[in-house]
Amino acid sequence: MKTFHNPHHAGHAGQQEMFRGRMVPCHEVPARLDFVLTELQRRPLGDIAPPSVDDTALDAAIARVHSARYLDFLASAWSDWVAMDPANAQRDALPSVWPIGNPHAFRTDVLPRNFAARLGLFSFDSGSPLTAGTWAAARGGAACALAAAHAVAQGERSAFALTRPPGHHAGPDFLGGYCFLNNAAIAAQALRDAGHTKVAVLDVDYHHGNGTQTIFYERADVLTVSVHGDPATEYPFFLGHADERGAGAGAGFNLNLPLPRGTGVAAWRAALDTALQAVSDFGASALVVPMGLDTFEGDPISGFTLKSADYAGVGQALASLGLPTVFTFEGGYAVDEVGTNAVNLLEGFQRPA
């Protein structure tokens, strides 16, 4: 299994986030990737290298899933933030005002000139700090996802995009949940563009991949499936319910399997079996797995109870589909264990080969 790691990830290192009504140190930290990389070096699965992707091709791939005005915002966000006040260079950018969904309350078609308003327009939470290195890190992560998709399209059985910040909460024109560019969606679209007629995205993160669902919700060529904490009580709260099945041409091509906080491995694996059957019934020729490890029992911001030893079985179950597979690194905030859990899952995937 080839691993593409993001050499720019550490440039995105937020100082603090708003979490449950108070400012706390960021849960999404550079050490998350470093622990996985160290474990991959200790238990090697294959080559590890930074991605080698043409800038023009990368920009085109990102633009396939994100809107032009959102990308323009991200590319200039840090310089615009500092231009508001030179002292901002020492502070993370966090939104403080947002439009809401009522069509008669706020307009979102007019781009505000004020940067604080633009940040709110493109954000859905105040827990995703934007820093001086965020754009380079997010773009480097997209390069990892694209390189992994290209490797799989060219015949590799699997590839791993080891990157942060994560991506599955980022939508076509919004950031949140620590995510800025949707790596899983970029990989899925790249597989489609490489000739795979049907691609499935099976998200195993504790938190629903609301951005990925939004991107593909009206499409029949990409099946989105997610096993996650029930949004009635769990982040991101406003998407991920079982009755969300897709719309228009995409009706029937989105499957959410929400589970209650406290779910153990047996019930979680039963939901995963349902997800695997849906992918099989869809007839996908390639798979993308947003690989969240925050289903772990020790995760500080999640609520399932999987143990480290369980992840090998998760990998084996995913391998049972027999599909060329791209993994993207998503959540997992029990930093000391995240490397072990990640490599256990990936080893389990390789074991049947």
Side-chain angles (χ1 to χ4, degrees), residues 3 31-46 48 160 162 308 335-347:
T3 293
R32 297 177 61 245
L33 186 148
D34 297 336
F35 272 81
V36 178
L37 189 59
T38 297
E39 190 68 11
L40 281 171
Q41 291 165 340
R42 191 178 76 84
R43 291 190 281 160
L45 302 177
I48 303 172
F160 179 32
L162 175 56
S308 291
V335 175
D336 291 347
E337 294 88 358
V338 72
T340 297
N341 296 343
V343 179
N344 283 358
L345 191 155
L346 297 174
E347 274 189 346

Side-chain angles (χ1 to χ4, degrees), residues 46-134:
D47 293 341
I48 303 172
S52 178
V53 175
D54 175 78
D55 281 346
T56 301
L58 177 59
D59 288 338
I62 295 171
R64 293 284 279 144
V65 300
H66 293 288
S67 73
R69 76 172 190 165
Y70 175 62
L71 296 175
D72 289 344
F73 163 77
L74 285 179
S76 64
W78 184 255
S79 60
D80 291 346
W81 170 243
V82 175
M84 286 184 69
D85 180 350
N88 282 348
Q90 307 304 316
R91 295 191 285 261
D92 298 343
L94 285 170
S96 57
V97 59
W98 297 266
I100 59 172
N102 188 309
H104 303 300
F106 295 96
R107 291 183 62 175
T108 59
D109 59 316
V110 179
L111 193 64
R113 288 195 295 273
N114 182 283
F115 173 76
R118 290 199 303 278
L119 180 58
L121 176 65
F122 293 117
S123 304
F124 71 86
D125 68 20
S126 57
S128 304
L130 192 150
T131 77
T134 297

